Amino acid sequence: MSTPSGHEAPHLPAEEEASSAAAWDGDTGTLRVESRRALVALVKGPFLTAERQAQNWRALMADTDAIRSRLADMYLDLVIDAERGVAFIRNAQTQDDDAPQVVRTRSMTLMDTALLLHLRRELVSAQAGQRVIIGRDEVFEQLSGYREATSTDAALFAKRIKSSWDTMVSLGILQRTPATQAEGRFEISPVLRLVFGPDEITALREVYTQMLTGRQGDVSDPDETLQAQFDGEADDVEDQS
């Protein structure tokens, strides 16, 4: 496009370019449509990946600062691991004790805790960049050593493991693969490397140890941030690349 004097008009930032293309009457938003969709995907959670949501990921990479700013307006912090292609949001750690907690927390059972610890151990023991595919039967066998701490009833114990397994699938921590239907095998999401760092894992182990020494039933995760990342169900539908 040229100005009346013949000089080329300066290129407008992406936000300013988009501001003239309102999506509805009264739309004052300035993010591009693609970036708005990426923002919504992050808020809906539980996380966004480059592999499964390529279009949203590209928009996030293109408009990271603007999207981060929109989230900050809602007391939310954006966490991105560009190398592993994973992004998610968490409640911002503010100096204001009365700051709203936008992302809700959830409680964890003893079996949820044990399963999370096991899945993360499998993930971090793999070579860098290697996908970790795991089957339910082998996980059930690995967790059988925890039976004395939860129940002496074999059927009840198996039911609890299945419930925790199904929870991890619904939250996207365990992701479906081409082998899921035929072999029941799932991929462990790399998001566990980000959400559960050394401090959080230590906190989980402490809670688990306390449970093993006599306190049974449901426990609340000791760290709100940990709980917050996995509120809501994962969407199995991938966007268009």
Side-chain angles (χ1 to χ4, degrees), residues 88-140:
F88 63 92
I89 61 171
R90 61 188 176 193
N91 290 320
Q93 299 297 309
T94 70
Q95 298 177 354
D96 181 4
D97 294 337
D98 295 326
Q101 298 294 291
V102 181
V103 185
R104 294 174 297 173
T105 62
R106 62 183 302 127
S107 61
M108 295 171 59
T109 65
L110 172 61
M111 190 55 68
D112 292 340
T113 304
L115 180 55
L116 278 171
L117 288 172
H118 176 74
L119 294 177
R120 189 178 184 280
R121 184 165 57 247
E122 292 290 325
L123 187 66
V124 299
S125 63
Q127 296 181 355
Q130 179 182 355
R131 299 174 64 182
V132 182
I133 310 296
I134 198 165
R136 191 174 72 177
D137 290 344
E138 60 195 77
V139 171
F140 281 24

Side-chain angles (χ1 to χ4, degrees), residues 13-223:
E15 288 192 9
E16 292 185 29
E17 286 181 339
S19 64
S20 61
W24 66 88
D25 257 354
D27 176 13
T28 59
T30 57
L31 282 178
R32 297 180 301 118
V33 171
E34 294 82 2
S35 298
R36 294 186 190 193
R37 293 183 182 276
L39 176 63
V40 171
L42 285 165
V43 173
K44 288 177 64 177
F47 49 86
L48 190 156
T49 68
E51 181 180 3
R52 292 173 178 258
Q53 298 161 284
Q55 185 173 345
N56 285 338
W57 182 263
R58 287 196 297 269
L60 175 61
M61 294 297 98
D63 280 342
T64 301
D65 291 343
I67 292 174
R68 189 185 299 278
S69 178
R70 298 299 185 279
L71 291 169
D73 286 339
M74 296 186 286
Y75 291 92
L76 293 171
D77 183 28
L78 174 62
V79 180
I80 300 176
D81 186 329
E83 182 180 353
R84 297 186 176 93
V86 177
F88 63 92
I89 61 171
R90 61 188 176 193
N91 290 320
Q93 299 297 309
T94 70
Q95 298 177 354
D96 181 4
D97 294 337
D98 295 326
Q101 298 294 291
V102 181
V103 185
R104 294 174 297 173
T105 62
R106 62 183 302 127
S107 61
M108 295 171 59
T109 65
L110 172 61
M111 190 55 68
D112 292 340
T113 304
L115 180 55
L116 278 171
L117 288 172
H118 176 74
L119 294 177
R120 189 178 184 280
R121 184 165 57 247
E122 292 290 325
L123 187 66
V124 299
S125 63
Q127 296 181 355
Q130 179 182 355
R131 299 174 64 182
V132 182
I133 310 296
I134 198 165
R136 191 174 72 177
D137 290 344
E138 60 195 77
V139 171
F140 281 24
E141 183 177 348
Q142 290 289 329
L143 294 180
S144 62
Y146 300 129
R147 179 176 165 187
E148 292 299 323
T150 56
S151 173
T152 56
D153 185 327
L156 179 59
F157 180 76
K159 183 178 180 180
R160 286 176 173 172
I161 296 181
K162 182 181 183 304
S163 177
S164 292
W165 177 275
D166 290 344
T167 295
M168 301 306 155
V169 173
S170 71
L171 296 175
I173 298 171
L174 288 170
Q175 300 179 335
R176 289 175 174 81
T177 71
T180 296
Q181 188 67 28
E183 305 173 19
R185 299 181 68 78
F186 289 73
E187 179 179 358
I188 303 175
S189 171
V191 76
L192 284 181
R193 289 180 179 270
L194 298 179
V195 179
F196 292 88
D199 293 340
E200 291 81 9
I201 288 298
T202 298
L204 279 177
R205 285 175 177 157
E206 288 175 355
V207 170
Y208 185 71
T209 299
Q210 292 172 0
M211 296 300 293
L212 289 178
T213 57
R215 289 166 47 198
Q216 298 192 15
D218 285 350
V219 303
S220 292
D221 187 321
D223 188 312

Side-chain angles (χ1 to χ4, degrees), residues 216-233:
Q216 298 192 15
D218 285 350
V219 303
S220 292
D221 187 321
D223 188 312
E224 276 193 355
T225 302
L226 290 181
Q227 295 179 334
Q229 313 319 314
F230 302 111
D231 185 69
E233 295 187 357

